[in-house]
Amino acid sequence: MTPARRIAFEILGAVDRGGFAADLLDERIVRLDARDAGLVTQIVFGVLRRRAQLDYLITQAASRPVSKMDSSVVRALRMGVFQLRFLSKIPPHAAVGESVDLVKMAGKQSAAGFANAVLRRLPELPAEWPSDEVRYSLPEWLWARWRKNLGGAAAALAAEAALHEPETWLRTAAGETLAGDSLERPLPEGARVMDVGSQSIVPLLQLQAGQRFLDLCAAPGNKTLQAMETPVQVVACDSSASRLKAFMAQCPRVQLDAEKALPFGRVFDRILVDAPCSGTGTLARNPEIRWRLAPEEITRQAERQIRILRNALACLRPGGRLVYSTCSLEPEENKEVVNRVAAARVQRVVQRLPGRDPGDGFFAAVLVQPE
């Protein structure tokens, strides 16, 4: 069995147990050659993005739903189906044979013949999927919510974008935004990967040299580094000691819980609240979110965000400027949070939508403190 498929199988199992695909890939593919690393990444993200489509095809071939199958067998079948129907350069015998071997490796030898039969009688991709939920590989509740809140056309754009590998974007040391996939190697010195949607947030602060700037939910530090392209006096905060220890930017750092009163006075000219959120604007990059998120989590995040925003505003000087942002598409986490906390202070609102705008989905509101 090739290391790539075994590692992909193990990573998908770890995701099922609550891990995050991007973090697991960073840990596991570092010692692989470029070809194997690329295959692992394609399989892991592809299976997670297209899970509903893969399960539909499996059910058509197996004549029973995946919910009635052993989880490790389903995982191997999903990998095989993805390679057979969505990767054009994989020999069918390799996709089938190694998927069957994965079933055996998982200790399910009795299901090896079943897996082989399912993959060999797999139907072609249908001209039309049976439902939009399968077509866009989204849970029914999330697709219904997007259609209601975004409108049908915008929801379809966001859902379609979430099925595909996102474009790589870079931020250079000189403050330039570059499409990473179009660059020749080696990359420019000092360049770092940073989504173009994420890069759109800091300019809304209109930073000026010498200002006191608070980055309240700062880790891992990409936006802090972007802010420091302007010579401001930065304080970066996060609740996680380990994330602050690995922080990208060299600046004063404070570990704190932003849901509680902050240990600062009303001293900051500029504040960024890039709030923890459901992340539904990043489904292409973090595809496991779609299968892990529950509606009540959106409500829970909104209550946290309200507390964080109120605490942040208490530290903003008169005439100061605060940007509240999330990578969520859900109104409860965005405009409703801002309206509940400080509707009268909103100067500008920006909404970036995957499929319509480059990069991840983002919401941002600019709030100004009265003089």
Side-chain angles (χ1 to χ4, degrees):
M1 185 187 304
T2 59
R5 291 180 177 86
R6 176 179 54 78
I7 291 172
F9 184 77
E10 292 168 352
I11 289 175
L12 288 167
V15 170
D16 287 345
R17 296 188 294 274
F20 290 91
D23 294 340
L24 292 161
L25 283 162
D26 285 345
E27 294 170 7
R28 296 297 305 274
I29 67 175
V30 64
R31 295 183 178 86
L32 296 177
D33 62 36
R35 182 177 178 180
D36 279 348
L39 181 58
V40 174
T41 303
Q42 277 189 308
I43 291 174
V44 168
F45 281 133
V47 166
L48 292 171
R49 290 183 188 120
R50 297 187 177 272
R51 194 177 91 177
Q53 297 176 356
L54 304 177
D55 289 357
Y56 171 78
L57 294 172
I58 291 168
T59 299
Q60 295 300 107
S63 300
R64 57 188 169 108
V66 296
S67 60
K68 303 293 186 180
M69 303 177 195
D70 178 84
S71 61
S72 58
V73 174
V74 171
R75 201 186 324 148
L77 286 172
R78 286 171 177 162
M79 287 177 56
V81 175
F82 177 71
Q83 293 170 79
L84 288 168
R85 292 294 175 262
F86 294 100
L87 294 183
S88 60
K89 296 182 180 180
I90 301 295
H93 67 86
V96 173
E98 296 213 14
S99 296
V100 172
D101 287 343
L102 288 169
V103 171
K104 296 176 181 176
M105 185 189 77
K108 306 297 177 182
Q109 288 87 348
S110 61
F114 167 76
N116 181 70
V118 168
L119 293 173
R120 293 191 181 279
R121 61 173 175 252
L122 194 71
E124 296 297 326
L125 295 179
E128 292 289 338
W129 295 101
S131 67
D132 283 342
E133 292 81 6
V134 176
R135 176 184 178 185
Y136 296 121
S137 196
L138 287 174
E140 183 177 354
W141 72 268
L142 185 57
W143 172 242
R145 157 185 278 275
W146 280 10
R147 288 188 65 192
K148 176 184 175 182
N149 294 331
L150 301 175
L157 285 174
E160 181 65 30
L163 286 173
H164 302 283
E165 181 181 354
E167 187 173 6
T168 299
W169 295 87
L170 301 176
R171 183 80 180 177
T172 72
E176 298 175 294
T177 301
L178 301 174
D181 292 345
S182 66
L183 296 177
E184 296 181 359
R185 300 297 189 266
L187 298 177
E189 185 176 353
R192 65 188 187 279
V193 175
M194 186 179 183
D195 179 74
V196 67
S198 182
Q199 292 187 49
S200 73
I201 302 303
V202 168
L204 298 172
L205 288 161
Q206 297 182 359
L207 293 168
Q208 299 175 26
Q211 288 179 329
R212 291 182 175 179
F213 167 57
L214 175 64
D215 192 347
L216 192 52
C217 306
N222 260 317
K223 293 185 182 69
T224 315
L225 280 173
Q226 185 179 354
M228 290 171 65
E229 293 166 10
T230 302
V232 290
Q233 301 176 52
V234 180
V235 176
C237 305
D238 201 83
S239 61
S240 169
S242 61
R243 283 162 65 86
L244 284 175
K245 186 176 181 180
F247 200 66
M248 293 180 176
Q250 296 301 312
C251 64
R253 286 162 278 178
V254 180
Q255 182 186 359
L256 54 75
D257 181 355
E259 294 183 58
K260 299 178 181 177
L262 302 178
F264 311 113
R266 196 179 292 271
V267 298
F268 291 100
D269 303 290
R270 298 289 188 267
I271 298 177
L272 174 61
V273 179
D274 189 34
C277 68
S278 64
T280 54
T282 71
L283 295 192
R285 196 175 308 281
N286 301 293
E288 64 271 31
I289 288 175
R290 72 184 77 199
W291 309 118
R292 192 172 291 173
L293 186 66
E296 54 268 24
E297 175 67 10
I298 295 170
T299 302
R300 188 186 75 84
Q301 290 286 10
E303 295 302 321
R304 294 180 66 200
Q305 292 153 355
I306 287 168
R307 291 191 289 271
I308 292 170
L309 181 55
R310 283 178 175 154
N311 291 334
L313 282 168
C315 300
L316 188 63
R317 292 178 63 177
R321 189 179 186 92
L322 180 149
V323 170
Y324 171 83
S325 66
T326 76
C327 56
S328 169
L329 303 183
E330 313 313 314
E332 296 93 331
E333 300 181 77
N334 295 331
K335 63 181 181 181
E336 291 181 21
V337 167
V338 173
N339 288 340
R340 287 172 66 182
V341 175
R345 304 183 201 180
V346 177
Q347 185 182 79
R348 182 184 177 191
V349 170
V350 176
Q351 177 79 66
R352 296 180 67 94
L353 184 73
R356 184 191 68 193
D357 305 303
D360 293 339
F362 269 89
F363 169 89
V366 179
L367 284 67
V368 177
Q369 191 82 296
E371 293 280 1

